[in-house]
mmCIF file of all heavy atoms in Angstrom:
data_model
loop_
_atom_site.group_PDB
_atom_site.id
_atom_site.type_symbol
_atom_site.label_atom_id
_atom_site.label_comp_id
_atom_site.label_asym_id
_atom_site.label_seq_id
_atom_site.Cartn_x
_atom_site.Cartn_y
_atom_site.Cartn_z
ATOM 1 N N VAL A 100 1.082 30.693 -4.050
ATOM 2 C CA VAL A 100 -0.338 30.997 -4.059
ATOM 3 C C VAL A 100 -0.682 31.757 -5.330
ATOM 4 O O VAL A 100 0.194 32.081 -6.136
ATOM 5 C CB VAL A 100 -0.749 31.828 -2.812
ATOM 6 C CG1 VAL A 100 -0.419 31.063 -1.531
ATOM 7 C CG2 VAL A 100 -0.064 33.192 -2.821
ATOM 8 N N GLN A 129 14.386 46.843 15.339
ATOM 9 C CA GLN A 129 14.262 47.449 16.664
ATOM 10 C C GLN A 129 14.690 46.480 17.741
ATOM 11 O O GLN A 129 15.306 46.846 18.745
ATOM 12 C CB GLN A 129 12.842 47.935 16.896
ATOM 13 C CG GLN A 129 12.464 49.155 16.067
ATOM 14 C CD GLN A 129 11.025 49.587 16.284
ATOM 15 O OE1 GLN A 129 10.416 49.194 17.271
ATOM 16 N NE2 GLN A 129 10.496 50.370 15.360
ATOM 17 N N PRO A 139 28.797 44.655 31.545
ATOM 18 C CA PRO A 139 29.411 45.877 31.055
ATOM 19 C C PRO A 139 28.707 46.457 29.829
ATOM 20 O O PRO A 139 28.114 45.726 29.033
ATOM 21 C CB PRO A 139 30.851 45.430 30.713
ATOM 22 C CG PRO A 139 31.053 44.174 31.486
ATOM 23 C CD PRO A 139 29.720 43.516 31.560
ATOM 24 N N LEU A 152 24.158 43.823 12.247
ATOM 25 C CA LEU A 152 24.922 43.518 11.036
ATOM 26 C C LEU A 152 24.472 42.171 10.437
ATOM 27 O O LEU A 152 24.530 42.001 9.218
ATOM 28 C CB LEU A 152 26.419 43.467 11.357
ATOM 29 C CG LEU A 152 27.030 44.844 11.702
ATOM 30 C CD1 LEU A 152 28.472 44.696 12.165
ATOM 31 C CD2 LEU A 152 26.938 45.799 10.511
ATOM 32 N N LEU A 166 17.340 52.353 3.068
ATOM 33 C CA LEU A 166 18.015 53.507 3.693
ATOM 34 C C LEU A 166 18.396 54.580 2.686
ATOM 35 O O LEU A 166 18.455 55.752 3.023
ATOM 36 C CB LEU A 166 19.274 53.033 4.428
ATOM 37 C CG LEU A 166 19.005 52.257 5.725
ATOM 38 C CD1 LEU A 166 20.312 52.008 6.438
ATOM 39 C CD2 LEU A 166 18.040 52.964 6.634
ATOM 40 N N ALA A 215 25.937 57.140 11.427
ATOM 41 C CA ALA A 215 27.228 56.595 11.008
ATOM 42 C C ALA A 215 27.167 55.083 10.858
ATOM 43 O O ALA A 215 27.762 54.512 9.946
ATOM 44 C CB ALA A 215 28.315 56.990 12.016
ATOM 45 N N ILE A 244 32.639 55.344 21.306
ATOM 46 C CA ILE A 244 33.435 55.886 22.400
ATOM 47 C C ILE A 244 34.053 57.222 22.008
ATOM 48 O O ILE A 244 34.048 58.186 22.774
ATOM 49 C CB ILE A 244 34.548 54.885 22.774
ATOM 50 C CG1 ILE A 244 33.940 53.583 23.298
ATOM 51 C CG2 ILE A 244 35.482 55.488 23.838
ATOM 52 C CD1 ILE A 244 34.927 52.454 23.430
#
Side-chain angles (χ1 to χ4, degrees):
V100 301
Q129 289 178 18
L152 292 173
L166 288 187
I244 297 168

